[in-house]
Amino acid sequence: MEPETFPEDLADALVGVQRLMRRRLRREMPDPRLRGAEVELLRLVVTRPGIGISDAAKDLGLAANSVSTLVNQLVQAGCLVRETDLADRRAARLLPTPAAGTRLREWRRRRADLVRRHVSRLDETDRQALHAAIPALLRLAGTLHEEAEET
């Protein structure tokens, strides 16, 4: 039986690790500095070039006007291109710039290096526990994503 505080403890641990990684990476990345939501949108557009703002908003669980604001910021930063959808002139399609792809690859490399350095400082038992937890964490992310799509 799991302790009563398990869900809260897990959430706090995940948020704490993510926050610290994001701060460290943001400090090390060249300008322009991107916020977490901007990076998430950029990752989505690199994965799904041509995605529209409303689909991006749905995938990210954000309001369309919030995504539109993020798009404007990323266009200004030279990371995204907004093109008019030929099928629907009112809609826009989002495309990453070459600089965005380079930036994301560098961010991922630095993130992996950061995690590698810190995981190597743990003992073998902790490293094995973290490795064993990956499939469960991915399934947890999947259920959270499914629930977000239902609402």
Side-chain angles (χ1 to χ4, degrees):
M1 181 135 174
E2 59 187 49
E4 189 176 305
T5 62
F6 173 73
E8 186 175 342
D9 293 343
L10 177 61
D12 287 346
L14 293 173
V15 167
V17 168
Q18 178 65 16
R19 181 179 54 247
L20 290 168
M21 286 187 351
R22 192 173 47 243
R23 285 182 184 164
R24 289 286 305 274
L25 291 170
R26 191 179 304 140
R27 216 178 332 151
E28 296 172 5
M29 289 298 290
D31 287 333
R33 296 185 190 265
L34 301 180
R35 297 175 322 187
E38 292 170 324
V39 172
E40 289 303 312
L41 176 58
L42 196 54
R43 287 173 62 189
L44 178 61
V45 173
V46 166
T47 303
R48 294 178 52 198
I51 190 171
I53 291 175
S54 61
D55 286 339
K58 183 178 176 185
D59 279 17
L60 296 172
L62 298 172
N65 64 338
S66 296
V67 171
S68 187
T69 299
L70 294 171
V71 167
N72 290 337
Q73 293 164 346
L74 289 169
V75 166
Q76 186 175 3
C79 294
L80 285 184
V81 173
R82 181 187 354 221
E83 291 184 351
T84 302
D85 186 339
L86 298 177
D88 180 359
R89 292 262 182 216
R90 298 168 297 164
R93 295 287 158 218
L94 306 174
L95 300 166
T97 63
T102 300
R103 184 180 184 93
L104 274 183
R105 283 188 298 280
E106 179 64 13
W107 179 80
R108 285 183 179 123
R109 185 193 65 75
R110 289 179 189 223
R111 180 182 65 178
D113 288 348
L114 175 66
V115 172
R116 186 178 298 108
R117 275 195 319 272
H118 289 275
V119 167
S120 73
R121 295 168 64 180
L122 302 174
D123 65 30
E124 183 63 23
T125 302
D126 285 344
R127 286 194 301 269
Q128 287 179 2
L130 289 172
H131 189 265
I134 292 170
L137 290 170
L138 291 172
R139 287 190 297 274
L140 175 61
T143 64
L144 288 166
H145 185 74
E146 288 169 8
E147 183 178 282
E149 287 185 342
E150 292 170 1
T151 57

